[in-house]
Coordinates of all heavy atoms in Angstrom, one line a residue:
M25 N 0.9 -1.2 0.0 CA 0.0 0.0 0.0 C 0.9 1.3 0.0 O 1.8 1.3 0.9 CB -0.9 0.0 1.2 CG -1.8 1.1 1.3 SD -3.1 0.8 2.6 CE -3.4 2.4 3.1
T26 N 0.6 2.1 -0.9 CA 1.4 3.4 -1.0 C 0.9 4.3 0.1 O -0.2 4.5 0.3 CB 1.1 4.1 -2.3 OG1 1.4 3.2 -3.4 CG2 1.9 5.4 -2.5
Q27 N 1.9 4.9 0.8 CA 1.6 5.9 1.8 C 1.1 7.2 1.2 O 1.7 7.7 0.2 CB 2.8 6.1 2.7 CG 3.1 5.0 3.7 CD 4.2 5.4 4.7 OE1 5.0 6.1 4.5 NE2 3.9 4.8 5.9
Q28 N 0.3 7.8 2.0 CA -0.3 9.1 1.5 C 0.1 10.1 2.6 O -0.1 10.0 3.7 CB -1.9 9.1 1.4 CG -2.3 8.1 0.3 CD -2.0 8.6 -1.0 OE1 -2.0 9.7 -1.4 NE2 -1.5 7.5 -1.8
H29 N 0.6 11.3 2.2 CA 1.1 12.4 3.0 C 0.3 13.6 2.7 O 0.2 14.0 1.6 CB 2.5 12.6 3.0 CG 3.4 11.4 3.3 ND1 3.7 11.1 4.5 CD2 3.8 10.4 2.5 CE1 4.4 10.0 4.5 NE2 4.6 9.5 3.2
L30 N -0.1 14.4 3.8 CA -0.8 15.6 3.6 C 0.2 16.6 4.3 O 0.3 16.5 5.5 CB -2.1 15.7 4.2 CG -2.9 17.0 4.2 CD1 -3.1 17.5 2.8 CD2 -4.1 16.9 5.0
I31 N 0.5 17.7 3.6 CA 1.4 18.7 4.2 C 0.6 20.0 4.2 O 0.0 20.4 3.2 CB 2.7 19.0 3.5 CG1 3.5 17.7 3.3 CG2 3.5 20.1 4.0 CD1 4.7 17.7 2.4
I32 N 0.3 20.5 5.4 CA -0.5 21.7 5.6 C 0.5 23.0 5.7 O 1.3 22.9 6.7 CB -1.4 21.7 6.8 CG1 -2.4 20.4 6.6 CG2 -2.1 23.0 6.9 CD1 -3.1 20.1 7.8
G33 N 0.5 23.8 4.8 CA 1.4 25.0 4.7 C 2.5 24.8 3.7 O 3.1 23.8 3.5
A34 N 2.5 25.8 2.8 CA 3.4 25.8 1.7 C 4.6 26.7 1.8 O 5.2 27.1 0.8 CB 2.7 26.2 0.4
G35 N 5.0 27.0 3.1 CA 6.2 27.8 3.4 C 7.4 26.9 3.2 O 7.4 25.7 2.7
P36 N 8.5 27.4 3.6 CA 9.8 26.6 3.5 C 9.7 25.2 4.2 O 10.3 24.3 3.6 CB 10.8 27.6 4.2 CG 10.3 28.9 4.1 CD 8.7 28.8 4.1
A37 N 9.1 25.2 5.3 CA 9.1 23.9 6.0 C 8.2 22.9 5.2 O 8.5 21.7 5.2 CB 8.5 24.0 7.5
G38 N 7.1 23.3 4.7 CA 6.2 22.5 3.9 C 7.0 21.9 2.6 O 6.8 20.8 2.3
L39 N 7.8 22.8 1.9 CA 8.4 22.5 0.7 C 9.5 21.5 1.1 O 9.8 20.5 0.4 CB 9.0 23.6 0.0 CG 8.0 24.5 -0.6 CD1 8.6 25.8 -1.3 CD2 7.1 23.7 -1.7
A40 N 10.1 21.7 2.2 CA 11.3 20.9 2.6 C 10.7 19.4 3.0 O 11.3 18.4 2.7 CB 12.0 21.4 3.9
A41 N 9.5 19.5 3.6 CA 8.9 18.1 4.0 C 8.6 17.4 2.7 O 8.9 16.2 2.6 CB 7.7 18.4 4.8
A42 N 8.0 18.0 1.7 CA 7.7 17.4 0.5 C 9.0 16.8 -0.1 O 9.0 15.7 -0.7 CB 7.0 18.4 -0.5
R43 N 10.0 17.5 -0.2 CA 11.3 17.1 -0.8 C 11.8 15.9 0.0 O 12.3 14.9 -0.6 CB 12.4 18.2 -0.9 CG 12.1 19.2 -1.9 CD 13.3 20.1 -2.1 NE 13.6 20.9 -0.9 CZ 13.2 22.1 -0.6 NH1 12.3 22.7 -1.4 NH2 13.5 22.6 0.5
T44 N 11.8 15.9 1.2 CA 12.3 14.8 2.1 C 11.5 13.6 2.0 O 12.0 12.5 1.8 CB 12.4 15.2 3.5 OG1 13.2 16.4 3.8 CG2 12.9 14.2 4.5
I45 N 10.1 13.7 1.9 CA 9.3 12.6 1.7 C 9.6 11.9 0.4 O 9.7 10.7 0.2 CB 7.8 12.9 1.8 CG1 7.5 13.4 3.2 CG2 6.9 11.9 1.3 CD1 6.1 14.0 3.4
R46 N 9.8 12.8 -0.7 CA 10.0 12.2 -1.9 C 11.4 11.5 -2.0 O 11.5 10.5 -2.7 CB 10.0 13.4 -3.0 CG 10.2 12.9 -4.5 CD 9.2 11.8 -4.9 NE 7.9 12.3 -4.9 CZ 6.8 11.7 -4.4 NH1 6.8 10.5 -3.9 NH2 5.6 12.2 -4.5
E47 N 12.4 12.0 -1.3 CA 13.7 11.4 -1.3 C 13.6 9.9 -0.6 O 14.3 9.0 -1.0 CB 14.7 12.2 -0.5 CG 15.1 13.4 -1.3 CD 16.0 14.3 -0.3 OE1 16.3 14.0 0.8 OE2 16.3 15.5 -0.9
V48 N 12.8 9.9 0.4 CA 12.6 8.6 1.2 C 11.7 7.6 0.5 O 11.9 6.4 0.6 CB 12.3 8.9 2.6 CG1 12.1 7.7 3.5 CG2 13.4 9.8 3.3
Q49 N 10.6 8.2 0.0 CA 9.5 7.3 -0.6 C 9.2 7.8 -1.9 O 8.3 8.6 -2.0 CB 8.3 7.4 0.4 CG 8.5 6.9 1.8 CD 7.3 7.1 2.6 OE1 6.6 8.0 2.5 NE2 7.1 6.1 3.6
A50 N 9.8 7.2 -2.9 CA 9.6 7.6 -4.3 C 8.2 7.4 -4.8 O 7.7 8.2 -5.7 CB 10.5 6.8 -5.1
D51 N 7.4 6.5 -4.2 CA 6.1 6.3 -4.7 C 5.0 6.8 -3.8 O 3.8 6.5 -4.0 CB 5.9 4.8 -5.0 CG 6.0 4.0 -3.6 OD1 6.5 4.5 -2.6 OD2 5.4 2.9 -3.6
A52 N 5.4 7.6 -2.7 CA 4.4 8.1 -1.8 C 3.4 9.2 -2.5 O 3.9 10.0 -3.4 CB 5.1 8.8 -0.6
G53 N 2.2 9.3 -2.0 CA 1.3 10.3 -2.5 C 1.5 11.4 -1.6 O 1.6 11.4 -0.4
I54 N 1.7 12.7 -2.2 CA 2.0 13.9 -1.4 C 1.0 14.9 -1.9 O 1.0 15.3 -3.1 CB 3.4 14.5 -1.6 CG1 4.4 13.3 -1.2 CG2 3.6 15.7 -0.7 CD1 5.8 13.8 -1.6
T55 N 0.3 15.5 -0.9 CA -0.6 16.6 -1.2 C -0.2 17.8 -0.4 O 0.0 17.7 0.8 CB -2.1 16.3 -0.9 OG1 -2.5 15.2 -1.7 CG2 -2.9 17.5 -1.3
L56 N 0.0 19.0 -1.0 CA 0.4 20.2 -0.3 C -0.6 21.2 -0.3 O -1.2 21.5 -1.4 CB 1.7 20.8 -1.0 CG 2.4 22.0 -0.4 CD1 2.9 21.8 0.9 CD2 3.4 22.4 -1.3
V57 N -1.2 21.5 0.9 CA -2.3 22.5 1.0 C -1.8 23.8 1.5 O -1.1 23.8 2.5 CB -3.4 21.9 1.8 CG1 -4.5 23.0 2.0 CG2 -3.9 20.6 1.2
G58 N -2.1 24.9 0.9 CA -1.7 26.2 1.4 C -2.7 27.3 0.9 O -3.3 27.2 -0.1
S59 N -2.9 28.3 1.8 CA -3.7 29.4 1.4 C -3.1 30.3 0.3 O -3.8 30.9 -0.4 CB -4.1 30.2 2.6 OG -2.9 30.8 3.2
E60 N -1.8 30.2 0.1 CA -1.1 31.0 -0.8 C 0.0 30.2 -1.6 O 0.4 29.1 -1.0 CB -0.3 32.1 -0.1 CG -1.2 33.0 0.8 CD -0.3 34.0 1.5 OE1 0.6 33.6 2.1 OE2 -0.8 35.2 1.5
N61 N 0.3 30.6 -2.8 CA 1.4 29.9 -3.5 C 2.7 30.1 -2.6 O 2.9 31.0 -1.9 CB 1.6 30.5 -4.9 CG 0.4 30.2 -5.8 OD1 -0.4 29.3 -5.5 ND2 0.4 30.7 -6.9
P62 N 3.6 29.1 -2.7 CA 4.8 29.1 -2.0 C 5.7 30.4 -2.3 O 6.0 30.6 -3.5 CB 5.5 27.9 -2.3 CG 4.6 27.0 -2.9 CD 3.6 27.9 -3.5
Y63 N 6.1 31.2 -1.3 CA 7.0 32.3 -1.6 C 7.9 32.6 -0.4 O 7.6 32.1 0.7 CB 6.2 33.5 -1.9 CG 5.4 34.1 -0.7 CD1 6.0 35.1 0.1 CD2 4.1 33.7 -0.5 CE1 5.2 35.7 1.1 CE2 3.4 34.2 0.7 CZ 4.0 35.2 1.5 OH 3.3 35.7 2.5
A64 N 9.0 33.2 -0.8 CA 10.0 33.4 0.3 C 9.7 34.8 0.9 O 9.9 35.8 0.3 CB 11.4 33.4 -0.4
R65 N 9.3 34.8 2.2 CA 9.0 36.0 2.9 C 10.1 37.0 3.1 O 10.0 38.2 3.1 CB 8.3 35.7 4.2 CG 6.9 35.1 4.0 CD 6.4 34.3 5.2 NE 5.1 33.7 5.1 CZ 4.8 32.7 4.4 NH1 5.7 32.0 3.8 NH2 3.5 32.3 4.2
M66 N 11.4 36.4 3.2 CA 12.5 37.1 3.4 C 13.0 38.0 2.3 O 13.7 39.0 2.6 CB 13.7 36.3 4.0 CG 14.1 35.2 3.1 SD 13.2 33.8 3.6 CE 13.9 32.5 2.8
V67 N 12.5 37.8 1.2 CA 12.8 38.7 0.1 C 11.8 39.8 -0.3 O 12.0 40.6 -1.2 CB 13.2 37.9 -1.2 CG1 14.3 36.9 -1.0 CG2 11.9 37.1 -1.8
L68 N 10.7 39.8 0.5 CA 9.7 40.8 0.3 C 10.2 42.2 0.3 O 9.8 43.1 -0.5 CB 8.5 40.5 1.3 CG 7.7 39.3 0.9 CD1 6.6 39.2 2.0 CD2 7.1 39.4 -0.4
P69 N 11.1 42.5 1.3 CA 11.7 43.9 1.3 C 12.4 44.3 -0.1 O 12.2 45.4 -0.6 CB 12.7 43.9 2.4 CG 12.2 42.9 3.3 CD 11.6 41.8 2.4
Y70 N 13.0 43.3 -0.7 CA 13.7 43.5 -1.9 C 12.6 43.9 -3.0 O 12.8 44.7 -3.9 CB 14.6 42.4 -2.4 CG 15.7 42.2 -1.4 CD1 15.6 41.0 -0.6 CD2 16.7 43.1 -1.2 CE1 16.6 40.8 0.3 CE2 17.7 42.9 -0.3 CZ 17.6 41.7 0.5 OH 18.6 41.5 1.4
L71 N 11.5 43.1 -3.0 CA 10.4 43.4 -4.0 C 9.8 44.7 -3.8 O 9.6 45.5 -4.7 CB 9.3 42.3 -3.8 CG 8.1 42.4 -4.6 CD1 8.3 42.3 -6.1 CD2 7.0 41.5 -4.2
M72 N 9.6 45.1 -2.5 CA 9.0 46.3 -2.2 C 9.9 47.5 -2.6 O 9.4 48.6 -3.0 CB 8.6 46.5 -0.7 CG 7.6 45.5 -0.4 SD 7.3 45.3 1.4 CE 6.5 46.7 1.7
E73 N 11.2 47.3 -2.6 CA 12.1 48.4 -3.0 C 12.3 48.4 -4.5 O 13.0 49.3 -5.0 CB 13.5 48.1 -2.4 CG 13.5 48.3 -0.8 CD 14.9 47.8 -0.3 OE1 15.8 47.3 -1.0 OE2 15.1 48.1 0.9
G74 N 11.8 47.4 -5.2 CA 11.9 47.4 -6.6 C 13.2 46.8 -7.1 O 13.6 46.8 -8.3
R75 N 14.0 46.1 -6.2 CA 15.2 45.5 -6.6 C 15.1 44.1 -7.2 O 16.0 43.7 -7.9 CB 16.2 45.4 -5.3 CG 16.5 46.8 -4.8 CD 17.1 46.8 -3.5 NE 18.4 45.9 -3.5 CZ 19.0 45.6 -2.3 NH1 18.6 46.1 -1.1 NH2 20.1 44.9 -2.4
I76 N 14.0 43.5 -7.1 CA 13.8 42.2 -7.7 C 12.3 42.2 -8.3 O 11.5 43.0 -7.9 CB 13.9 41.0 -6.7 CG1 12.9 41.0 -5.7 CG2 15.3 40.9 -6.3 CD1 12.7 39.8 -4.7
E77 N 12.1 41.3 -9.2 CA 10.8 41.1 -9.8 C 9.9 40.2 -9.0 O 10.4 39.3 -8.2 CB 10.9 40.5 -11.3 CG 11.7 41.5 -12.2 CD 11.0 42.7 -12.5 OE1 9.7 42.7 -12.7 OE2 11.6 43.7 -12.7
E78 N 8.6 40.3 -9.1 CA 7.7 39.5 -8.4 C 7.9 38.1 -8.5 O 7.8 37.2 -7.7 CB 6.2 39.9 -8.7 CG 5.3 39.0 -7.8 CD 3.8 39.4 -8.1 OE1 3.6 40.4 -8.8 OE2 2.9 38.7 -7.6
T79 N 8.3 37.6 -9.7 CA 8.5 36.1 -10.1 C 9.7 35.6 -9.2 O 9.7 34.4 -9.0 CB 8.8 35.9 -11.5 OG1 10.0 36.8 -11.9 CG2 7.6 36.3 -12.5
Q80 N 10.6 36.5 -8.8 CA 11.7 35.9 -8.0 C 11.4 35.7 -6.5 O 12.1 35.2 -5.7 CB 12.8 36.9 -8.0 CG 13.5 37.1 -9.4 CD 14.6 38.1 -9.5 OE1 14.2 39.3 -9.5 NE2 15.8 37.7 -9.5
V81 N 10.1 36.1 -6.1 CA 9.6 35.9 -4.7 C 9.2 34.5 -4.6 O 9.3 33.9 -3.5 CB 8.5 36.9 -4.4 CG1 7.9 36.6 -3.1 CG2 9.0 38.3 -4.5
Y82 N 8.6 33.9 -5.6 CA 8.0 32.5 -5.4 C 9.1 31.4 -5.4 O 10.1 31.5 -6.0 CB 7.1 32.3 -6.6 CG 5.9 33.2 -6.6 CD1 5.9 34.2 -7.6 CD2 5.0 33.1 -5.7 CE1 4.9 35.1 -7.5 CE2 3.9 34.0 -5.7 CZ 3.9 35.1 -6.6 OH 2.8 35.9 -6.5
S83 N 9.0 30.5 -4.4 CA 9.9 29.5 -4.1 C 9.6 28.1 -4.8 O 10.5 27.3 -4.7 CB 10.1 29.3 -2.6 OG 8.8 29.1 -2.0
A84 N 8.5 28.0 -5.4 CA 8.2 26.8 -6.1 C 7.0 27.1 -7.0 O 6.0 27.8 -6.6 CB 7.7 25.6 -5.1
D85 N 7.1 26.7 -8.3 CA 6.1 26.9 -9.3 C 5.4 25.5 -9.6 O 5.8 24.5 -9.1 CB 6.6 27.5 -10.5 CG 7.6 26.7 -11.2 OD1 7.9 25.6 -10.9 OD2 8.2 27.3 -12.2
D86 N 4.4 25.5 -10.4 CA 3.7 24.3 -10.8 C 4.6 23.3 -11.3 O 4.4 22.1 -10.9 CB 2.5 24.6 -11.7 CG 1.4 25.5 -11.1 OD1 1.3 25.5 -9.8 OD2 0.6 26.1 -11.8
A87 N 5.5 23.7 -12.2 CA 6.4 22.7 -12.8 C 7.3 22.0 -11.8 O 7.5 20.7 -11.8 CB 7.2 23.4 -13.9
Y88 N 7.7 22.8 -10.8 CA 8.7 22.2 -9.8 C 7.8 21.2 -9.0 O 8.4 20.1 -8.7 CB 9.2 23.4 -9.0 CG 10.0 22.8 -7.8 CD1 11.3 22.4 -8.0 CD2 9.6 22.8 -6.5 CE1 12.1 21.9 -6.9 CE2 10.3 22.2 -5.5 CZ 11.5 21.8 -5.7 OH 12.3 21.4 -4.6
L89 N 6.6 21.6 -8.5 CA 5.8 20.6 -7.7 C 5.4 19.4 -8.5 O 5.5 18.3 -7.9 CB 4.7 21.4 -7.1 CG 5.0 22.5 -6.2 CD1 3.8 23.4 -5.8 CD2 5.6 22.0 -4.9
E90 N 5.1 19.6 -9.7 CA 4.8 18.5 -10.6 C 5.9 17.6 -10.7 O 5.8 16.3 -10.7 CB 4.3 19.0 -12.0 CG 3.6 17.8 -12.7 CD 3.1 18.5 -14.1 OE1 2.2 19.4 -14.0 OE2 3.6 18.1 -15.1
G91 N 7.1 18.1 -10.9 CA 8.3 17.3 -11.0 C 8.6 16.5 -9.7 O 9.2 15.4 -9.8
L92 N 8.2 17.0 -8.6 CA 8.3 16.3 -7.3 C 7.1 15.2 -7.2 O 7.2 14.5 -6.3 CB 8.3 17.2 -6.1 CG 9.6 17.9 -5.7 CD1 9.3 18.8 -4.6 CD2 10.6 16.9 -5.4
G93 N 6.2 15.3 -8.0 CA 5.0 14.5 -7.9 C 4.2 14.9 -6.7 O 3.5 14.0 -6.0
V94 N 4.1 16.1 -6.5 CA 3.2 16.8 -5.4 C 2.0 17.3 -6.0 O 2.0 18.1 -6.9 CB 4.1 17.9 -4.6 CG1 3.2 18.6 -3.6 CG2 5.3 17.3 -4.0
E95 N 0.9 16.9 -5.4 CA -0.4 17.6 -5.8 C -0.6 18.8 -4.9 O -0.6 18.8 -3.7 CB -1.6 16.6 -5.5 CG -2.9 17.1 -5.8 CD -4.1 16.3 -5.4 OE1 -3.9 15.2 -5.1 OE2 -5.2 16.8 -5.4
A96 N -0.7 20.0 -5.6 CA -0.8 21.2 -4.9 C -2.2 21.7 -4.9 O -2.9 21.7 -5.9 CB 0.1 22.3 -5.5
R97 N -2.6 22.2 -3.8 CA -4.0 22.8 -3.6 C -3.8 24.1 -2.9 O -3.8 24.2 -1.7 CB -4.8 21.9 -2.8 CG -5.2 20.6 -3.5 CD -6.2 19.8 -2.7 NE -6.4 18.4 -3.3 CZ -7.2 17.6 -2.8 NH1 -7.9 17.8 -1.8 NH2 -7.3 16.4 -3.5
F98 N -3.6 25.2 -3.7 CA -3.5 26.5 -3.1 C -4.7 27.3 -3.2 O -5.6 27.0 -3.9 CB -2.3 27.2 -3.9 CG -1.0 26.6 -3.8 CD1 -0.3 26.2 -4.9 CD2 -0.5 26.2 -2.5 CE1 0.9 25.5 -4.8 CE2 0.6 25.4 -2.5 CZ 1.4 25.1 -3.7
G99 N -4.8 28.3 -2.3 CA -6.0 29.0 -2.2 C -7.1 28.4 -1.2 O -8.2 28.8 -1.2
S100 N -6.6 27.4 -0.6 CA -7.5 26.7 0.4 C -6.8 26.6 1.7 O -5.6 26.3 1.8 CB -7.8 25.2 0.0 OG -8.4 25.2 -1.3
G101 N -7.5 26.9 2.7 CA -7.0 26.9 4.1 C -7.6 25.7 4.8 O -8.7 25.3 4.5
V102 N -6.9 25.2 5.7 CA -7.5 24.0 6.5 C -8.2 24.6 7.8 O -7.6 25.5 8.5 CB -6.3 23.1 7.0 CG1 -6.8 22.1 8.0 CG2 -5.7 22.5 5.9
T103 N -9.4 24.3 7.9 CA -10.2 24.8 9.1 C -10.3 23.8 10.2 O -10.7 24.2 11.3 CB -11.6 25.2 8.6 OG1 -12.2 23.9 8.0 CG2 -11.5 26.3 7.6
G104 N -10.0 22.5 10.0 CA -10.0 21.6 11.1 C -9.5 20.2 10.6 O -9.4 19.9 9.4
I105 N -9.0 19.5 11.6 CA -8.5 18.2 11.4 C -9.1 17.1 12.4 O -9.3 17.5 13.6 CB -6.9 18.2 11.7 CG1 -6.2 19.2 10.8 CG2 -6.3 16.8 11.6 CD1 -4.7 19.4 11.2
D106 N -9.6 16.1 11.9 CA -10.3 15.0 12.6 C -9.5 13.8 12.4 O -9.8 13.0 11.5 CB -11.8 14.9 12.1 CG -12.5 13.9 13.1 OD1 -11.9 13.1 13.8 OD2 -13.7 13.9 12.9
P107 N -8.5 13.5 13.3 CA -7.7 12.3 13.1 C -8.6 11.0 13.3 O -8.3 10.0 12.5 CB -6.7 12.3 14.2 CG -6.8 13.7 14.9 CD -8.2 14.2 14.4
T108 N -9.6 11.0 14.0 CA -10.4 9.8 14.2 C -11.1 9.5 12.9 O -11.1 8.3 12.5 CB -11.5 10.0 15.4 OG1 -10.7 10.4 16.5 CG2 -12.3 8.7 15.5
A109 N -11.6 10.4 12.2 CA -12.3 10.2 10.9 C -11.3 10.2 9.8 O -11.8 9.8 8.7 CB -13.4 11.3 10.8
G110 N -10.1 10.6 10.0 CA -9.1 10.6 8.9 C -9.5 11.8 7.9 O -9.2 11.5 6.7
S111 N -10.0 12.8 8.4 CA -10.4 13.9 7.5 C -9.7 15.3 7.8 O -9.4 15.5 9.1 CB -11.9 13.9 7.4 OG -12.4 14.4 8.6
V112 N -9.7 16.1 6.8 CA -9.2 17.5 7.1 C -10.1 18.4 6.5 O -10.7 18.2 5.4 CB -7.8 17.6 6.4 CG1 -7.2 19.0 6.6 CG2 -6.8 16.7 7.0

């Protein structure tokens, strides 16, 4: 049986978790849920100053996540987790 993983949050930790799972379990199912597309918050001042383009803020695009075999669901927040029912 293939393991299924749900990662809540598309920040640096969520992306690192997806990469690590993929390294350890090549056939695992990975779903990444986040309210926003992954971006690097620490470069926002450079964007605001006009020193970088907006495209340089994002830390993962659809092609990258697809290459990792990650199903991305952005624009959705998690409102609750029910471990007994196995639902989010």
Side-chain angles (χ1 to χ4, degrees):
M25 181 167 149
T26 303
Q27 286 192 327
Q28 300 293 317
H29 299 274
L30 175 65
I31 301 169
I32 301 170
L39 292 174
R43 285 190 301 269
T44 301
I45 291 167
R46 183 56 64 225
E47 288 172 6
V48 175
Q49 298 175 329
D51 62 342
I54 304 171
T55 303
L56 180 64
V57 176
S59 57
E60 303 171 316
N61 289 350
Y63 68 93
R65 289 160 179 81
M66 56 265 187
V67 300
L68 290 178
Y70 301 110
L71 174 67
M72 295 169 74
E73 292 173 352
R75 294 170 57 188
I76 63 171
E77 298 293 322
E78 183 178 351
T79 56
Q80 293 177 285
V81 173
Y82 297 104
S83 52
D85 60 11
D86 292 339
Y88 177 77
L89 294 170
E90 190 175 301
L92 276 178
V94 173
E95 178 185 346
R97 295 187 186 176
F98 299 128
S100 302
V102 172
T103 59
I105 300 171
D106 185 347
T108 304
S111 65
V112 177

